Amino acid sequence: MDAIFKALSDPTRRALLDALRRRDGQTLTDLEAGMGMTRFGVMKHLGVLEDANLVVTRKVGRFKHHYLNAAPIQELADRWIAPYAKPLARYAVDLKRQLEEPTPMAATPDFIVVTYIRTTPAALWEAIVNPEMTRQYYYGSRVQPDLRVGGRFHYLDPEGKVNLDGEIIEIEPTKKLVTTFKATWAPEGKETRVMYEIEPIGEMCKLTLTHFDAAAAKAGVEEGWPLILAGLKTLLETGKPMASSGM
């Protein structure tokens, strides 16, 4: 938490996060053009944001793209804000933001969330593919996995209806899972892809979730994924669902 508060304390770093919130996946050149400061200065601030896990990067060819990582901010909010928040007040704030701020399409529409969980790769994998566990952090939905390439990977809501459909494209147990993603609550949205990557780091696991072409899904994943991963982290580290998530 100290690294997050330090990173957020500087107005230039907050401006960089705002720039990525408006358009994710920008390169250093893109960010430098909008900041009015030297390239070296922007790099230093990005380094602090990366150290706090608030920005993650992905290299494509010669270019390195930067993504806002909402997971640490979600965890901070769950710890310091959610216990005091009123649902109606939250709804009012969200509505105000949606009405006042445009939502431009990202030039690089992939959406990335990274979180660190004190658990083992086997336990994390089990939490992703076990229906009784997903029920506790995935909005009450139970995953129904056929764990093979070409197998179905879908979720049932509490009433037993499919609310998220998909098919496994790539699977490497305890390491990597790639599936298609089609939200039934967003019929106008396109089928997209989601990738889970698990990397052990000492006593922890780094979980990277990438939603390719996320904007095309039209499913509200930019807000949904950070909350889901925060719930997953809480469940694995405490053994209890995250009360503030409403799941």
Side-chain angles (χ1 to χ4, degrees), residues 21 88-103 223:
R21 181 171 61 88
L88 187 58
R90 173 63 183 270
Y91 172 78
V93 171
D94 289 346
L95 179 61
K96 179 176 184 293
R97 185 180 69 246
Q98 291 173 19
L99 290 174
E100 292 182 348
E101 297 183 7
T103 307
E223 293 184 2

Side-chain angles (χ1 to χ4, degrees), residues 47-240:
V48 174
L49 292 170
E50 288 184 50
D51 288 343
N53 198 31
L54 291 169
V55 168
V56 295
T57 62
R58 167 163 289 172
K59 195 166 184 181
V60 180
R62 297 187 299 108
F63 299 99
K64 187 163 83 169
H65 298 271
H66 298 77
Y67 296 85
L68 171 65
N69 181 27
I73 299 175
Q74 181 67 56
E75 292 162 15
L76 185 150
D78 292 334
R79 178 175 177 180
W80 295 103
I81 300 173
Y84 313 101
K86 302 295 184 183
L88 187 58
R90 173 63 183 270
Y91 172 78
V93 171
D94 289 346
L95 179 61
K96 179 176 184 293
R97 185 180 69 246
Q98 291 173 19
L99 290 174
E100 292 182 348
E101 297 183 7
T103 307
M105 293 290 288
T108 308
D110 298 343
F111 182 75
I112 301 176
V113 188
V114 177
T115 189
Y116 293 83
I117 305 174
R118 191 173 297 278
T119 189
T120 65
L124 179 49
W125 179 264
E126 180 70 9
I128 293 171
V129 302
N130 184 307
E132 286 305 315
M133 296 192 74
T134 62
R135 179 182 61 81
Q136 299 180 70
Y137 68 85
Y138 210 112
Y139 296 100
S141 297
R142 298 171 183 264
V143 68
Q144 306 294 304
D146 180 5
L147 297 176
R148 59 182 178 84
V149 173
R152 199 173 177 199
F153 193 88
H154 62 289
Y155 293 80
L156 303 180
D157 66 18
E159 286 72 44
K161 298 179 181 178
V162 175
N163 60 4
L164 179 60
D165 209 350
E167 178 183 308
I168 294 177
I169 301 172
E170 184 178 349
I171 182 169
E172 192 173 354
T174 75
K175 294 182 179 180
K176 186 178 184 180
L177 177 67
V178 184
T179 76
T180 59
F181 178 104
K182 183 66 176 76
T184 59
W185 66 85
E188 71 283 6
K190 296 181 180 179
E191 182 180 86
T192 53
R193 288 185 299 131
V194 171
M195 177 171 66
Y196 298 85
E197 295 174 289
I198 299 171
E199 178 185 351
I201 302 178
E203 296 181 352
M204 307 185 76
C205 283
K206 177 184 178 182
L207 174 61
T208 303
L209 184 144
T210 304
H211 194 142
F212 299 96
D213 204 15
K218 298 184 179 180
V221 299
E222 295 82 2
E223 293 184 2
W225 280 128
L227 189 59
I228 288 170
L229 264 60
L232 171 60
K233 176 181 172 70
T234 299
L235 178 64
L236 286 173
E237 293 187 342
T238 70
K240 300 178 181 179

